[in-house]
Amino acid sequence: MITPLYPDLSQAAGWLPLAFLVVMGLAMLAYVILDGYDLGVGILMRHANDAEKDIMIASIGPFWDANETWLVLGVGILLVAFPTAHGQILGALYFPVAIMLLGLILRGVAFDFRVKAHAQNKPAWNRAFHIGSILAAFSQGFMLGMLVVGFQTSIWSYAFASLIGLCLMAAYCLLGATWLLMKSEGQLQIKAATWARRSLWLAGVGIATISIVTPFASPSIAEKWFSFPNFILLFPIPMITAILFWWIDRILKCLPAQLVQANQRWIWTPFASTVGIFFLAFHGLAYSLFPYLIIDKITIWQAASAPESLMIIFVGACIVLPVIIAYTVMAYRIFWGKATLLEY
């Protein structure tokens, strides 16, 4: 008997996995955007002097722990709601996951120790924070690349995943630099505009490469994108993405001269536009993969836990998720504005 691809959504066994997929997807999107900018700040630290590094760390200090909460939520939902897929995905990504965790641990240790360290030891902790940021960002991009190719183990799959790792690092640098445009002042702010422009087009290469490769990964994905009228209805996604890239480039060209004159107008637009690009890229990838967690192998309903278990978890999620959102909003509201030096 062939299991239908889309079950009865009026039953708990149908809508509960879908609800958890939405929550997991939004959690991962929130993580990529929120932790993405502070990973980007960490990668960019090697280009700054000592005083600028202190401001860069201060710009992410009140937020970075909370940002990583979204990763815990997303992976936690994958574990408890989709255990079959969790086992296969984490099994296929064991090494990059280990590298990511190593990078995140290194960042966490370096973040606190650099504040207390003696002056001669502080550069070492700055380097540790920088290296941890690179490891975490590259491994996340590598995992994304492997997801797109269905966890194939060919040399071309690894090469593609490595390219996406580099491109995601650039995308995080773009987020981090545009974040610094809003949170810093003076020479650091001018440098941030330059860093953002250097990162912009490599990030674009990553999005374009995934957009080209994904339809070739599965005939069903190609059918979803290029059949009529889907092609017409979906065309605004790449079109708006291209416009946002053009707009960011245009703004970044003008910002250094504008900032020299102490004109802070429009400094928020590069970050907002970059967030828009991430949102559109996520939307396109989610559309391509749905309803599969592993392309053409495991759907969300095949991977889901029993409906009775999901219902209990669903009640807990309805309590926890609003708390996480409220705390995140409160933190950003309290610490909004230009960064000041952290004191412990």
Side-chain angles (χ1 to χ4, degrees):
M1 180 178 179
I2 299 176
T3 303
L5 190 60
Y6 299 97
D8 183 1
L9 297 182
S10 65
Q11 302 297 317
W15 67 264
L16 273 172
L18 190 60
F20 276 101
L21 178 70
V22 171
V23 174
M24 182 176 70
L26 292 178
M28 299 311 295
L29 175 62
Y31 171 77
V32 166
I33 292 174
L34 298 180
D35 205 44
Y37 75 72
D38 66 53
L39 285 169
V41 168
I43 296 171
L44 292 169
M45 278 184 65
R46 74 182 184 90
H47 300 291
N49 60 42
D50 289 342
E52 290 169 344
K53 288 174 183 176
D54 290 338
I55 292 295
M56 292 170 75
I57 290 293
S59 75
I60 63 176
F63 312 112
W64 77 286
D65 273 338
N67 293 344
E68 292 182 354
T69 303
W70 294 102
L71 177 63
V72 176
L73 177 63
V75 176
I77 290 175
L78 179 63
L79 171 62
V80 299
F82 307 107
T84 303
H86 177 273
Q88 294 196 31
I89 292 173
L90 271 293
L93 299 175
Y94 184 86
F95 184 69
V97 167
I99 295 298
M100 180 187 72
L101 293 177
L102 175 63
L104 294 177
I105 292 170
L106 190 59
R107 275 168 50 86
V109 173
F111 186 92
D112 287 325
F113 274 67
R114 71 179 297 280
V115 178
K116 300 291 187 180
H118 296 295
Q120 66 270 25
N121 296 326
K122 194 172 181 179
W125 290 115
N126 285 336
R127 284 193 296 271
F129 191 82
H130 171 69
I131 293 170
S133 301
I134 289 175
L135 291 177
F138 178 81
S139 59
Q140 289 172 17
F142 187 90
M143 288 187 279
L144 173 61
M146 293 301 291
L147 173 67
V148 168
V149 297
F151 305 109
Q152 298 176 26
T153 56
S154 67
I155 186 65
W156 297 111
S157 298
Y158 291 135
F160 170 75
S162 298
L163 173 62
I164 300 306
L166 294 174
C167 292
L168 187 63
M169 285 176 56
Y172 282 170
C173 286
L174 176 61
L175 271 174
T178 54
W179 173 258
L180 289 172
L181 277 172
M182 298 188 298
K183 299 293 286 184
S184 63
E185 297 176 294
Q187 192 62 34
L188 177 57
Q189 195 177 32
I190 296 172
K191 285 183 178 180
T194 302
W195 296 338
R197 195 156 182 234
R198 288 176 181 174
S199 305
L200 179 65
W201 295 110
L202 184 54
V205 167
I207 292 176
T209 303
I210 290 177
S211 301
I212 293 170
V213 170
T214 303
F216 289 99
S218 167
S220 62
I221 295 177
E223 176 69 17
K224 289 170 73 173
W225 277 94
F226 298 117
S227 62
F228 188 83
N230 292 16
F231 178 79
I232 302 298
L233 297 174
L234 295 170
F235 183 73
I237 294 178
M239 181 182 69
I240 296 173
T241 301
I243 291 173
L244 287 175
F245 270 106
W246 170 81
W247 174 251
I248 294 171
D249 183 66
R250 181 178 179 183
I251 289 292
L252 292 175
K253 280 182 181 179
C254 302
L255 272 180
Q258 175 183 314
L259 293 172
V260 168
Q261 301 173 1
N263 184 351
Q264 300 287 314
R265 188 176 57 179
W266 304 110
I267 59 171
W268 58 272
T269 54
F271 183 79
S273 299
T274 303
V275 170
I277 289 172
F278 272 79
F279 179 81
L280 290 169
F282 171 82
H283 181 84
L285 183 62
Y287 173 78
S288 297
L289 298 180
F290 184 80
Y292 293 98
L293 289 173
I294 301 177
I295 294 177
D296 293 341
K297 292 181 180 179
I298 301 178
T299 68
I300 60 172
W301 294 282
Q302 292 169 339
S305 299
E308 296 79 8
S309 300
L310 288 178
M311 185 58 74
I312 295 173
I313 302 166
F314 182 74
V315 173
C318 289
I319 298 172
V320 172
L321 189 59
V323 173
I324 297 175
I325 294 173
Y327 172 79
T328 302
V329 171
M330 182 183 69
Y332 278 86
R333 182 174 180 180
I334 292 174
F335 295 103
W336 196 249
K338 297 296 183 180
T340 56
L341 290 176
L342 292 177
E343 295 182 359
Y344 284 76

